[in-house]
Amino acid sequence: MTMMMLRRIALIGTALPRRCGIATFTTDLHAAISQTDPRLIAEIGALTDNGQTYDYPDIVQLEIREGVVDDYIHAAETLNGGEFDLVCIQHEFGIFGGEAGSHLLWLLKRLRIPVVTTLHTVLAEPNEVQKSVLSAVIEASSRIVVMAEKGRQLLRQVYGAPMEKIAVIPHGIYREGDFQESDDFKQKLGFQDRSVILTFGLLSPNKGLETVIDALPAILERKPDAVYVILGATHPHLLRREGEDYREQLAERARRLGVEHAVVFANHFVDRSTLLDHIAMSDVYVTPYLNEAQMTSGTLAQSFGLGRAVVSTPYWHAAELLADGRGVLVPFNDAGTMGKAIGDLLTDDAARDTMRRRAFEYSRDMVWNRVAERYLDLFGDVVRRWLPLAAPSPVLRPRRVRDLPEPNLTYLEQMSDDTGLYQHAVGCIPDRSHGYCVDDNARALLLACNLSHHAGMRVPDLMVSRYAAFIQHAWNPDNRHFRNFMGFSRQWLEPRGSQDSHGRTLWALGECARSDPHTGRRQWARDLFRMALPTAAEFPATRAQAFTLLGLDAYCAVEPGDGFAVDLRHRMASHLLALFKANATPDWCWFEDGLSYDNPRLSQALILSGQAIGSDCMVDAGLRSLRWLAGVQTSPEGVFRPVGSESFGDKRRRPRIFDQQPLEATAMVAACVAAHGVEEASFWVVEAARAYAWFEGSNDQGLPMVDEDGACRDGLRPDGLNQNRGGESVLAYLQALIDLRRVLGIANSTARTDPVLIRAMRA
């Protein structure tokens, strides 16, 4: 038994009453562990296949719908917050959602506790995606368990897994005790005076049952009393697609060969006791599988462990288990050799008995209580080694406020003149050739208000006044739009700007109306907001609506009696919610068919609007979409990876990595602050810190984006940093810093009573 006292663990896999081999294994492993160490709390997180529901027992405390990304993220939050010592995952291709089961990575990259993964299949020739996903699973796991030496060999050769990370623990079997004869069980089940050949398992075409049926004529010539019992229900997925067509094809095959009297279909998903009785009554157990790459077979292990004579095709698990005379191996899809091997055993009692006893003696280390002991020893070793390594990383565990730098406005001042904020820079030198834009001056006014309101700092009033003056001058009363681009000559380059720039300017005006320390500017902002708002009422652009909603959130807080503003907020928020409902699927939990720029602002706008309106549905959609986006924007290594600009225009595809821009990290921090305001979970604090850490070098290139004077590079590219430091970038960095300080200030104040935050923020 393990010397490490484990308190609570979780097993993640399919679970009974779902009908599949992994479900049986997960449930059996749970039972064996619980019986071996009754002090240990062991719970199951069950994977549920799409569109199905199951009446899970109380041991299942968590359910993950295989295609719902949000469930994987929620599972990680639950496990991180539940004082679990370890998670043991049962991995099989086909039970996790996403391409090659990639949804599992959404769970793994968020867990802050050690993981042991049992691989039920190890592919020798994986495709690119299968290899990538399984390699990421191996990387995220403290230890990997396989059930055969072949699995260890493939992990080393194909996936490059380190030898010390791999453990071989056999598949468990039931029933300790003495070697048992079959006669009593034949009598019990009604097969007395028959020579019983048995195959058990969920029926599907890859099981090779046709080979045994084709071999029956030769077997019956030598042993006329032989009967082939096929025990097991049709696989649920096959049953939903094709009904009982496959079983009927097998029955028709037996009729054509004239052996239908010697084939018994027991179409049941049997309980453990019934299964063991059937295996115990068999004279020969057969696994005629068609694929060599079968790493594990629970039915083979159980039949072998009960001391049955086994005939099998040489798939990997069988080749190891049945070596040295412990069974008989025959070629794939070879009915002639199969018939001879089974006939030989049925007509030679001494040879059959010798083989049975070899199998029984060899299998004593495979009984479930001994397998459970090995798992518990492994778990204890992993937890013991994990503890010294559990110091928090700067990406996943944010620092306290006092450890963050103070906002430095030096570079912001250098990028501003008496007209406003320059758009671009050549390196760190303002680039006059590109002039100014209302977008950046609105962002600058927004930053100034947030600095004053949330950080107790003041941007020099002369600078704030210039940003406000630029916005005022951008207002075109002739068409009731804001202009956007202005040349260095102070000549406007267009009569009206984009919908996005108009919405972003409304956002800045709304915040100015609420929190600017200057009374006169607050009144100016309210007046201009009211004039410009009707223009935005008909904007179809989704982000323009989101920016407008953010402005309305601030404006309505100080002007709650403005009926037009209140009604427009409700209409725009309802439209955003309708977009989410129309486009979101389990695999794509988003408002649109693609991801582009400022994505988190959509979630942020819906969260804040729903909170103000009192709509739980809006808040829930905002939180769900933001959790999903957080997963999309986290690399397998755990660093923030904003949607690259090369992805803009892609439809429902995994985002491309580059170019990464500061605006995206800032938007993520701000949206997480909004989420934390309605759901005080450590998840949002961690995600905000993950996004901010991108500026400090926790990114795909490992390069810091900011200088000591507050300057920020314009982007992260495949070849490194974009060394230009434009106005948008410096504002993005400073805003992210303010927002992170804000949410950490809230979190720090509650850390003494929140054990999750204590762990998340430990320095």
Side-chain angles (χ1 to χ4, degrees), residues 643-657:
V643 175
S645 59
E646 293 178 350
S647 300
F648 297 176
D650 289 349
K651 301 298 183 184
R652 294 184 183 256
R653 289 177 52 188
R654 183 180 303 173
R656 306 183 201 185
I657 298 177

Side-chain angles (χ1 to χ4, degrees), residues 258-525:
V259 296
E260 68 271 22
H261 65 285
V263 179
V264 174
F265 290 98
N267 186 5
H268 311 293
F269 188 82
V270 298
D271 59 25
R272 180 193 304 176
S273 176
T274 303
L275 169 62
L276 296 179
D277 286 350
H278 276 78
I279 294 174
M281 76 150 179
S282 65
D283 296 291
V284 175
Y285 190 85
V286 186
T287 56
Y289 301 159
L290 301 177
N291 185 3
E292 178 188 43
Q294 175 94 16
M295 189 58 64
T296 306
S297 171
T299 62
L300 170 68
Q302 185 60 59
S303 303
F304 181 85
L306 285 181
R308 300 302 100 184
V310 179
V311 175
S312 176
T313 51
Y315 56 91
W316 291 331
H317 192 197
E320 279 188 27
L321 206 58
L322 304 183
D324 300 326
R326 296 188 293 268
V328 179
L329 297 173
V330 300
F332 293 103
N333 202 24
D334 186 338
T337 307
M338 176 73 74
K340 182 179 186 307
I342 295 174
D344 287 347
L345 287 171
L346 291 180
T347 56
D348 189 338
D349 293 345
R352 188 173 72 253
D353 188 65
T354 299
M355 183 180 295
R356 292 178 57 204
R357 292 185 181 278
R358 284 176 181 168
F360 183 80
E361 292 168 4
Y362 185 85
S363 67
R364 292 310 84 200
D365 284 337
M366 296 168 58
V367 293
W368 267 117
N369 69 325
R370 298 185 188 179
V371 169
E373 288 175 359
R374 293 180 65 175
Y375 268 99
L376 288 170
D377 283 340
L378 179 64
F379 294 165
D381 183 63
V382 167
V383 172
R384 186 167 51 250
R385 293 173 183 270
W386 173 269
L387 293 175
L389 302 176
S393 71
V395 176
L396 295 179
R397 296 171 175 84
R399 302 171 298 182
R400 296 181 181 273
V401 175
R402 65 173 178 265
D403 298 321
L404 290 170
E406 292 289 331
N408 188 333
L409 306 182
T410 301
Y411 188 70
L412 179 63
E413 294 183 27
Q414 294 173 7
M415 285 293 292
S416 303
D417 67 3
D418 59 355
T419 299
L421 182 71
Y422 289 108
Q423 274 196 85
H424 297 295
V426 179
C428 61
I429 306 301
D431 183 2
R432 294 180 172 179
S433 65
H434 286 91
Y436 318 87
C437 68
V438 77
D439 259 334
D440 289 345
N441 281 274
R443 290 188 182 100
L445 179 61
L446 187 64
L447 173 72
C449 294
N450 286 333
L451 267 172
S452 174
H453 188 59
H454 297 300
M457 288 184 63
R458 296 286 293 270
V459 175
D461 201 64
L462 182 60
M463 292 172 61
V464 182
S465 180
R466 287 168 175 166
Y467 303 146
F470 190 97
I471 291 171
Q472 177 61 52
H473 189 41
W475 174 246
N476 186 342
D478 295 336
N479 57 29
R480 306 190 72 77
H481 281 76
F482 290 103
R483 306 174 180 92
N484 192 13
F485 296 112
M486 173 189 279
F488 183 67
S489 63
R490 293 189 178 180
Q491 299 298 310
W492 289 108
L493 304 179
E494 57 189 359
R496 68 171 63 181
S498 66
Q499 294 180 29
D500 282 7
S501 64
H502 194 106
R504 192 174 284 110
T505 306
L506 284 170
W507 178 12
L509 289 170
E511 191 58 53
C512 183
R514 175 168 64 179
S515 58
D516 193 299
H518 194 287
T519 303
R521 270 199 302 270
R522 291 201 302 272
Q523 184 59 53
W524 159 80

